[in-house]
Amino acid sequence: MKKFSFELQKVLEFRNFERQQAEGELAKALAVENEINEKLKKIAQQYAAVKARMKGSTDFRDVISQSQYNNLLDYQKEELLRQLTEAKIETEKKRDILRECMKKTTALEKLRDRQLEDWKAAAEYEEAELMDDLKTTIHK
């Protein structure tokens, strides 16, 4: 009996390659999101540090300096939040692409598995027929 051969194996391999590429792209997008979140955490820490340093200060120059620094942190925070929004949109696009790749791959894998089961059933049937023929030949 000949060996099982899935006619769409090359297509399946290509789909798996596409899926792996999509997984890599999604990982990159998630890394960008994480990096932005880390920067936002640092800004929050800077807010807290300035507030702690300025606690109890009565010098007007310190108050003005703190206010200007807080304005700078606010600007940086707003810019990072804008970037985070864009990054989340990009991540969702990459996630959709990965889902689509996975659907295509899964469909081909199911088709391959069904064909393999059919091939196995046919092979078992053919083997049983050969055994029956062999038994019939021996008993004659």
Side-chain angles (χ1 to χ4, degrees), residues 1 11 13 28-29 33 37 43 50 52 59 63 75 78 86 93 96 100 106 108 112 121-122 124 132 135-136 140:
M1 170 138 237
V11 176
E13 289 169 4
K28 287 178 189 176
E33 272 189 51
N37 281 323
I43 288 176
V50 167
D59 187 358
V63 173
Y75 173 77
E78 291 301 318
E86 290 174 3
K93 287 179 186 176
D96 289 342
E100 196 60 37
T106 303
L108 282 172
R112 180 197 59 206
E124 287 173 7
D132 285 346
K135 286 178 185 176
T136 305
K140 285 185 180 182

Side-chain angles (χ1 to χ4, degrees), residues 20-80:
Q20 290 171 349
Q21 293 291 95
E23 287 171 348
E25 292 296 319
L26 177 60
K28 287 178 189 176
L30 289 170
V32 169
E33 272 189 51
N34 289 335
E35 182 181 329
I36 293 169
N37 281 323
E38 287 301 314
K39 288 178 183 178
L40 284 168
K41 285 179 187 176
K42 286 180 184 177
I43 288 176
Q45 291 170 348
Q46 290 172 341
Y47 267 120
V50 167
K51 188 175 181 179
R53 263 196 320 258
M54 297 306 295
K55 192 172 189 175
S57 177
T58 56
D59 187 358
F60 185 68
R61 286 179 290 189
D62 288 344
V63 173
I64 294 295
S65 178
Q66 176 191 9
S67 176
Q68 289 174 340
Y69 189 66
N70 282 344
N71 287 341
L72 174 65
L73 292 177
D74 283 339
Y75 173 77
Q76 290 175 343
K77 179 182 78 173
E78 291 301 318
E79 181 62 24
L80 286 172

Side-chain angles (χ1 to χ4, degrees), residues 93-129:
K93 287 179 186 176
K94 302 293 183 186
R95 203 172 265 125
D96 289 342
I97 290 169
L98 178 59
R99 269 190 221 107
E100 196 60 37
C101 288
M102 290 175 79
K103 282 182 191 176
K104 291 176 182 178
T105 303
T106 303
L108 282 172
E109 287 171 344
K110 285 181 180 178
L111 177 62
R112 180 197 59 206
D113 292 345
R114 271 186 268 141
Q115 286 183 3
L116 179 60
E117 290 301 316
D118 290 347
W119 178 84
K120 284 179 181 178
E124 287 173 7
Y125 178 78
E126 187 175 316
E127 186 177 323
E129 286 293 311

